[in-house]
Amino acid sequence: MTTTVRLRKIGFGALALAFLAVAGSSFYHQRYLPEAVVLGEGVTAVTRLSEYGESLRGTANDIHLYVLEGKAPGGTILVFGGTHAEEPAGRLAAWMLVEHATIERGRLIVALSANRSASTVTRPGAAYPPEFTIPTAWGGQRFRMGDRWTNPLDQWPDPEVYIHYPSGQYLAYVDIRNLNRAFPGRPDGTLTERTTYAFMELIRREHVDVAIDLHEAELQYPVISTIVTHQRGQDMATMVSMTLTDLEGFKIGTEFSPRNLHGLSHREIGDHSQAVSLLFEAPEPFLDATRGRTNADVLLTGKDEFVVQAGKRGLLFETIDEHGWPIAKRVGRHTSSVAQTMETWTEDHPDRGIVARGIPRYKDLVRNGVGFYLRDPAVAPAGRVVYE
Amino acid sequence: MIFLQSVITALYYGLVAWAAVLIAYSFWRAKTWEREVLYLIVLVPFLLRALFLK
């Protein structure tokens, strides 16, 4: 090998290492981007999911649980966002609760990143942005953009067919990493199953009355702008949807959880615990297969001309126009739905009521934007900032 | 099943590391600059995987 060839190889090798460093740095920062949570006055304790599933300790899914306990005794409600980390309205709505809600009666438990592992990766080949920023008066807050499934770095390989435990139902192979196909889980299963098992243990041990799973859906998906409810929550969900549609300025329907479709939170939590399980869906055009450019702008504005065209051709299950579905509307739908669920639950169960105040509702978020309600960690009191 | 998953994962990462070594060796032995560039393009994803970055 001549000196020229040797030098060329060294040059090319250095260039490849530079590309490796740039790409590796991007992936590393996406996986470890710290997201600040400023604990509101209502947060009385912060604990970990591993308290309910020891095998999660030290894993990506040993997530924080935020407890907001009122002075008066009452019922318990669990709200979790980030089951599917590519659906940011669910996570941001949970953020609103932790940073602003105060419980006067009963208890609220919140998880911001139910499948934290899924928030550390984006969908291969889908050109997702690795993160997005919500503008605020103090500059803006960065969030990880995630995926629907647990990061393969944390759980791999996938089987040819995913056989759900304990039903034995056959599901798509990739859904073995889908938190919302892995309920009720098992203590010695995959990371995703161990996560759902810990949630089930939390629900059982803390005597959770109502469990709410926050989601978003593409407009081409028929289950959208709705509350999916276990049969034990049908009356309450119907009343919540009617009240919201009448009073809050947005339409939301009710659908019943299919009894023979397993692994989903609205089915398994209700079947395997005392809790009433609900799942809320808001519209997210970013997820539609017909979308155009895939970037943080589309994620936050919900505007996409190609999805609008699909709507004009009758291909969608939700309306969309040039105003899109901005993140404030999507988050507001969730916060109002959670608040209304508490109110309806309390009316129906006065002995286990849950009374909250301070939750920004749909009209507040549409008027002020999401960033208005994100608190600046730089000026937070000492010890009141947690990182997701 | 979880035990099998762990075994397969360990074997997989070993295989990825071994493939990376072979590609790097092929790069060093390549006689044309086009082949060298090709080997390096193929090598980068293997290294990202072996380093638990992607």
Side-chain angles (χ1 to χ4, degrees):
Chain A
M1 190 183 296
T2 65
T3 305
T4 309
V5 171
R6 194 180 296 265
L7 285 174
R8 185 181 73 204
K9 286 181 188 292
I10 290 170
F12 280 159
L15 199 59
L17 282 175
F19 279 120
L20 179 73
V22 170
S25 168
S26 171
F27 293 134
Y28 182 88
H29 284 107
Q30 180 188 12
R31 188 161 164 80
Y32 296 103
L33 175 70
E35 301 167 320
V37 187
V38 178
L39 304 181
E41 292 75 16
V43 177
T44 50
V46 179
T47 182
R48 293 265 188 184
L49 191 59
S50 58
E51 296 293 321
Y52 304 92
E54 179 59 32
S55 67
L56 285 181
R57 198 172 300 281
T59 70
N61 279 359
D62 189 8
I63 59 168
H64 291 114
L65 296 170
Y66 302 86
V67 181
L68 294 81
E69 186 148 18
K71 289 194 171 72
T76 299
I77 185 169
L78 167 68
V79 179
F80 51 106
T83 295
H84 293 152
E86 63 178 355
E87 299 162 15
R91 296 191 75 212
L92 291 168
W95 236 274
M96 300 290 105
L97 300 177
V98 170
E99 297 201 346
H100 292 281
T102 304
I103 302 298
E104 295 181 342
R105 185 178 169 210
R107 185 169 52 160
L108 166 65
I109 302 173
V110 185
L112 303 178
S113 317
N115 188 357
R116 189 186 165 282
S117 169
S119 76
T120 64
V121 66
T122 53
R123 193 174 296 193
Y128 282 13
E131 62 180 73
F132 62 92
T133 300
I134 299 288
T136 66
W138 42 271
Q141 181 163 347
R142 294 161 69 198
F143 294 89
R144 294 186 297 273
M145 177 61 195
D147 195 4
R148 185 176 175 84
W149 298 284
T150 301
N151 192 333
L153 288 177
D154 298 318
Q155 182 185 317
W156 196 87
D158 298 337
E160 287 292 317
V161 175
Y162 164 38
I163 303 173
H164 171 259
Y165 176 86
S167 72
Q169 186 166 70
Y170 283 23
L171 297 169
Y173 77 96
V174 73
D175 279 336
I176 197 167
R177 289 185 284 114
N178 182 342
L179 199 80
N180 203 28
R181 297 295 183 278
F183 281 94
R186 47 185 157 180
D188 56 351
T190 64
L191 176 65
T192 313
E193 287 177 319
R194 283 182 280 142
T195 305
T196 53
Y197 177 79
F199 269 107
M200 292 304 304
E201 281 296 289
L202 159 70
I203 290 165
R204 288 186 283 251
R205 285 192 222 164
E206 300 299 335
H207 308 290
V208 170
D209 296 291
V210 183
I212 297 176
D213 186 6
L214 302 176
H215 284 256
E216 294 192 89
E218 56 268 50
L219 280 64
Q220 289 173 300
Y221 186 59
V223 183
I224 190 167
S225 302
T226 194
I227 301 170
V228 187
T229 175
H230 189 268
Q231 63 268 18
R232 285 193 283 110
Q234 287 179 2
D235 290 348
M236 180 173 69
T238 305
M239 182 56 71
V240 169
S241 74
M242 286 168 58
T243 309
L244 289 171
T245 303
D246 275 353
L247 302 179
E248 295 268 350
F250 64 88
K251 288 183 182 173
I252 186 164
T254 308
E255 303 201 18
F256 303 142
S257 171
R259 289 176 189 258
N260 56 357
L261 180 55
H262 289 284
L264 295 109
S265 63
H266 50 73
R267 167 54 38 207
E268 306 296 350
I269 291 175
D271 281 357
H272 293 271
S273 78
Q274 73 292 337
V276 170
S277 47
L278 307 174
L279 183 151
F280 298 163
E281 290 278 14
E284 185 187 357
F286 178 91
L287 295 177
D288 272 281
T290 54
R291 69 180 183 269
R293 290 188 68 183
T294 305
N295 55 29
D297 188 49
V298 174
L299 179 70
L300 298 180
T301 64
K303 292 179 184 174
D304 187 286
E305 60 181 301
F306 298 96
V307 179
V308 171
Q309 286 298 321
K312 287 177 180 169
R313 284 160 174 74
L315 299 173
L316 306 181
F317 293 91
E318 177 56 279
T319 57
I320 185 171
D321 58 20
E322 68 278 10
H323 301 297
W325 278 100
I327 190 74
K329 280 191 175 183
R330 287 141 56 194
V331 174
R333 291 176 69 96
H334 281 334
T335 57
S336 272
S337 300
V338 169
Q340 187 56 51
T341 301
M342 290 186 198
E343 290 169 20
T344 303
W345 168 265
T346 303
E347 286 170 15
D348 292 346
H349 303 82
D351 54 323
R352 287 192 64 80
I354 304 158
V355 179
R357 62 179 172 81
I359 299 175
R361 295 183 77 128
Y362 178 77
K363 284 177 183 165
D364 303 317
L365 281 150
V366 170
R367 184 171 57 244
N368 300 317
V370 175
F372 181 83
Y373 295 100
L374 290 171
R375 293 188 160 170
D376 183 359
V379 298
R384 298 296 286 177
V385 180
V386 173
Y387 290 92
E388 283 288 302
Chain B
M1 180 186 148
I2 301 307
F3 173 73
L4 267 180
Q5 260 197 338
S6 304
V7 170
I8 293 169
T9 301
L11 288 172
Y12 169 75
Y13 277 100
L15 197 63
V16 167
W18 178 237
V21 169
L22 290 181
I23 295 167
Y25 178 71
S26 300
F27 160 74
W28 194 249
R29 302 268 301 180
K31 301 214 181 312
T32 64
W33 71 268
E34 292 94 337
R35 299 290 291 184
E36 290 169 4
V37 170
L38 177 67
Y39 283 128
L40 289 176
I41 289 172
V42 174
L43 179 61
V44 168
F46 278 84
L47 290 177
L48 287 171
R49 192 66 162 173
L51 295 171
F52 292 90
L53 288 167
K54 184 64 177 173

